[in-house]
């Protein structure tokens, strides 16, 4: 295959201004120095990437619009996709070179749930960014069960304890309580399940025969594509949903629903989307994979400069990207989040794209998704501890991230301190809505700590 040699150079200009005392004329000279930067053979410069219309696709849009892809010798097209299954299938089939994807998708593909494929991620796209929204009717019934601040506003975070009597009321009326999430292996599915189960509400189990995950369910969860969430809620088909932005704020904007809890409150600084390519792609085009990762890291850094968020909102509002109204996007992208209409609160870390090592693909983040797949029966059989580590190391590729980040340090785009010194595991944390301790090096113990879900004692 013909390759393109991309040589990244920087020109340093120093202007020396001299003034002549005799004639009063200004004389300007320029000293020009060329400094060679990182040179790589870009094996495949023409690329097509996919995304779903959510604000957390922002690194892709920014890398394209701000020229970060071009800086790496990449000529990238980004294409909106209809749903997450389409995203997965088109990456596996080679119609897309890579895509914005649910963190659980490449993991499930390698762990035995759904369509199987060898997919890898060298880049985590963001932290947080989701919320759970309920209909106005459900909110009116939940509200009496929620403690109130001195100013009359609800105390946050709101647990699913406030929802339990509402579910009972609906069931007495013969109405199964239905909620939406975006995909069976989405963060949204695991977050809404975690929130419900933390209050003793069974969200249902998966088996080979019941791929809807509704066995013994007190709440019936079903798949709805993100852009369709508000309309599905408004029609009464579902009574609530878990989704990313801007589709929670859209419910507030339209006056049809109320976000009750964000995933920041369910799991503080949780991983959300990832950028995914096939294992074959990164093996065939290793330099291209590094170059893509470099551009995305730079985009994440640009996005986490608060002064850039208004421009990011304008870019994302373009029809070829998210296409939502700027006012809706700004509600969550500029450091605030609106719950009940008029109840806008400061939430500076609702969307994180770079700080807290957000772009690094930590093994511990991936293992959390594996524990949830096992907890709810998507992984049907008990697995030993070593399986979790071995499985995630085939999918999460911090080696690619480190190579990209090291080059960015050498080029002066990021400081050395932004490369974490890590074995790939974050420290154990209790930053969950129920206070449970998560230690990725003890996945079995973590599973066994829950009252609801599968348990794998003594493995």
């Amino acid at each position: 295959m013909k390759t393109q040699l991309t040589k990244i150079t920087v020109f340093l200009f120093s202007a020396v201004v001299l003034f002549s005392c005799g004639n009063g004329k200004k004389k300007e000279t320029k000293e020009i120095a060329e400094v060679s930067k990182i040179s790589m053979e870009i094996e495949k410069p023409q690329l097509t990437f996919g995304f779903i219309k959510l604000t957390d696709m922002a690194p892709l849009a920014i890398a394209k619009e701000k020229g970060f892809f071009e800086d790496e010798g990449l000529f990238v097209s980004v294409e909106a996709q209809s749903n997450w299954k389409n995203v997965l299938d088109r990456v596996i089939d080679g119609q897309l070179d890579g895509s914005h994807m649910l963190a659980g998708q490449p993991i499930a593909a390698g762990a035995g749930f759904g369509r199987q494929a060898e997919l890898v991620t060298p880049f985590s796209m963001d932290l947080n960014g989701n919320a759970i929204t309920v209909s106005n009717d459900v909110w009116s019934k939940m509200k009496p069960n929620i403690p109130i601040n001195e100013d009359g506003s609800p105390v946050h975070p709101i647990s699913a304890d406030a929802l339990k009597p509402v579910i009972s009321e609906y069931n007495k009326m013969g109405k199964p309580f239905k909620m939406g999430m975006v995909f069976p292996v989405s963060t949204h599915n695991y977050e809404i399940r975690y929130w419900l189960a933390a209050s003793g509400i069974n969200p249902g189990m998966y088996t080979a025969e019941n791929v809807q995950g509704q066995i013994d369910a007190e709440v019936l969860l079903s798949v709805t594509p993100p852009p369709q969430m508000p309309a599905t809620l408004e029609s009464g088909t579902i009574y609530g949903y878990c989704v990313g932005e801007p589709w929670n704020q859209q419910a507030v904007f339209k006056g049809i629903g109320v976000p009750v809890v964000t995933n920041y409150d369910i799991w503080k600084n949780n991983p959300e989307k990832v950028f995914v390519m096939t294992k074959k792609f990164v093996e065939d085009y290793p330099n291209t994979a590094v170059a893509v990762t470099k551009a995305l890291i730079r985009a994440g850094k640009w996005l986490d400069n608060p002064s850039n968020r208004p421009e990011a909102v304008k870019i994302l509002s373009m029809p070829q990207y998210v296409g939502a109204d700027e006012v809706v996007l700004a509600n969550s992208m500029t450091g605030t989040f609106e719950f009940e209409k008029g109840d806008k609160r400061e939430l500076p870390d609702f969307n994180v794209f770079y700080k807290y090592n957000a772009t690094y693909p930590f093994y511990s983040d991936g293992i959390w998704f594996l524990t949830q797949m096992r907890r709810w029966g998507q992984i049907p059989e008990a697995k030993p501890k070593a399986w979790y580590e071995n499985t995630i190391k085939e999918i999460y590729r911090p080696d690619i991230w480190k190579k990209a980040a090291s080059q960015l340090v050498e080029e002066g785009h990021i400081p050395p301190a932004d490369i974490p010194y890590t074995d790939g595991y974050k420290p154990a944390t209790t930053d969950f809505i129920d206070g449970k301790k998560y230690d990725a090096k003890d996945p079995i113990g973590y599973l066994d700590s829950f009252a609801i879900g599968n348990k794998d004692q003594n493995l």
Side-chain angles (χ1 to χ4, degrees):
M1 177 176 289
K2 185 179 179 181
T3 64
Q4 173 177 318
L5 180 62
T6 300
K7 185 175 184 180
I8 304 167
T9 60
V10 63
F11 293 92
L12 303 177
F13 297 94
S14 61
V16 180
V17 180
L18 303 176
F19 293 91
S20 172
C21 296
N23 56 22
K25 291 182 180 179
K26 183 170 71 174
K27 182 180 179 183
E28 182 177 314
T29 63
K30 292 181 180 179
E31 295 177 359
I32 304 173
E34 180 179 323
V35 180
S36 292
K37 289 291 186 177
I38 305 300
S39 297
M40 291 194 302
E41 288 185 355
I42 301 300
E43 307 94 345
K44 189 177 184 185
Q46 298 279 353
L47 301 166
T48 302
F49 297 147
F51 70 94
I52 294 291
K53 291 196 169 191
L54 294 159
T55 56
D56 53 28
M57 65 77 58
L60 278 173
I62 298 306
K64 181 172 175 62
E65 294 295 324
K66 303 304 290 185
F68 300 146
F69 283 135
E70 287 189 15
D71 287 350
E72 301 299 330
L74 304 171
F75 304 96
V76 173
S77 297
V78 293
E79 298 179 354
Q81 307 298 304
S82 58
N83 57 63
W84 290 116
K85 183 180 184 303
N86 192 45
V87 164
L88 181 69
D89 289 343
R90 296 195 74 203
V91 170
I92 292 172
D93 295 340
Q95 298 172 57
L96 295 171
D97 297 300
S99 186
H100 167 231
M101 202 176 283
L102 298 161
Q105 286 185 286
I107 296 171
F113 183 73
R115 186 175 179 184
Q116 299 303 283
E118 292 184 314
L119 302 176
V120 299
T121 177
F123 179 82
S124 182
M125 294 191 73
D126 66 318
L127 305 178
N128 310 316
N130 296 339
I132 295 173
T133 292
V134 298
S135 69
N136 290 336
D137 180 65
V138 171
W139 173 244
S140 70
K141 292 176 169 64
M142 286 179 67
K143 204 169 180 181
N145 309 321
I146 300 168
I148 300 297
N149 291 311
E150 289 183 3
D151 63 0
S153 62
V155 174
H156 282 258
I158 296 172
S159 77
D161 291 354
L163 185 63
K164 287 183 81 169
V166 183
I167 294 170
S168 296
E169 181 180 335
Y170 272 59
N171 288 336
K172 286 176 184 176
M173 294 188 294
K175 297 167 67 174
F177 200 86
K178 298 175 290 185
M179 300 186 80
M181 46 78 183
V182 308
F183 203 67
V185 296
S186 68
T187 48
H188 319 79
N189 186 24
Y190 304 128
E191 287 162 1
I192 197 169
R193 286 172 173 273
Y194 198 103
W195 183 68
L196 293 167
S199 293
I201 302 167
N202 193 333
M205 299 292 292
Y206 289 87
T207 65
E209 296 74 30
N210 190 310
V211 295
Q212 285 76 35
Q214 295 180 350
I215 291 176
D216 297 327
E218 296 173 72
V219 172
L220 300 181
L221 298 175
S222 59
V223 171
T224 303
Q228 297 175 25
M229 287 288 192
T232 309
L233 182 74
E234 189 173 19
S235 71
T237 304
I238 55 177
Y239 308 129
Y241 56 71
C242 184
V243 75
E245 285 306 312
W247 308 115
N248 298 287
Q249 293 302 291
Q250 185 80 328
V252 178
F253 185 72
K254 295 180 68 176
I256 61 172
V258 176
V260 292
V261 66
T262 70
N263 63 341
Y264 179 87
D265 289 321
I266 296 170
W267 177 14
K268 181 181 177 182
N269 291 332
N270 63 91
E272 180 45 32
K273 303 299 189 303
V274 291
F275 185 79
V276 175
M277 297 173 277
T278 63
K279 183 179 179 182
K280 184 177 188 306
F281 183 97
V282 301
E283 288 176 346
D284 289 349
Y285 313 122
N287 291 341
T288 305
V290 171
V292 170
T293 306
K294 287 175 67 180
L296 291 173
I297 292 172
R298 288 183 66 190
K301 188 172 188 296
W302 185 93
L303 277 160
D304 265 10
N305 182 336
S307 65
N308 291 334
R309 287 296 179 93
E311 183 181 353
V313 166
K314 288 185 180 296
I315 291 170
L316 291 174
S317 71
M318 296 177 181
Q320 67 267 37
Y321 297 124
V322 181
D325 291 340
E326 286 185 38
V327 66
V328 175
L329 289 164
N331 256 7
S332 63
M333 276 287 284
T334 54
T336 62
F337 191 86
E338 191 168 15
F339 292 91
E340 191 174 12
K341 202 165 186 70
D343 183 8
K344 185 177 285 191
R345 307 192 184 200
E346 296 294 319
L347 201 56
D349 286 344
F350 181 76
N351 285 120
V352 173
F353 294 98
Y354 186 78
K355 60 184 177 179
Y356 313 133
N357 302 126
T359 65
Y360 188 96
F362 284 95
Y363 297 137
S364 48
D365 290 345
I367 288 173
W368 187 83
F369 290 102
L370 286 172
T371 66
Q372 300 310 292
M373 291 175 189
R374 173 60 191 143
R375 180 184 181 185
W376 302 117
Q378 291 173 330
I379 295 171
E381 298 176 353
K383 302 290 185 181
K385 173 185 171 182
W387 178 86
Y388 288 86
E389 182 173 7
N390 294 338
T391 298
I392 207 61
K393 284 186 174 180
E394 292 294 319
I395 302 160
Y396 274 40
R397 295 289 302 274
D399 58 311
I400 298 173
W401 186 97
K402 287 177 182 176
K403 186 171 183 179
S406 296
Q407 290 187 14
L408 291 175
V409 169
E410 189 175 340
E411 294 167 4
H413 291 303
I414 66 173
D418 287 358
I419 297 181
Y421 183 76
T422 178
D423 61 356
Y425 288 82
K426 294 178 181 176
T429 179
T430 57
D431 284 334
F432 291 83
I433 198 165
D434 57 1
K436 290 283 187 185
K437 181 181 178 180
Y438 170 56
D439 182 352
K441 294 184 177 180
D442 183 21
I444 309 301
Y446 182 60
L447 276 170
D448 291 347
S449 72
F450 295 109
I452 300 176
N454 283 319
K455 293 176 174 54
D456 295 338
Q457 294 100 327
N458 303 319
L459 280 179

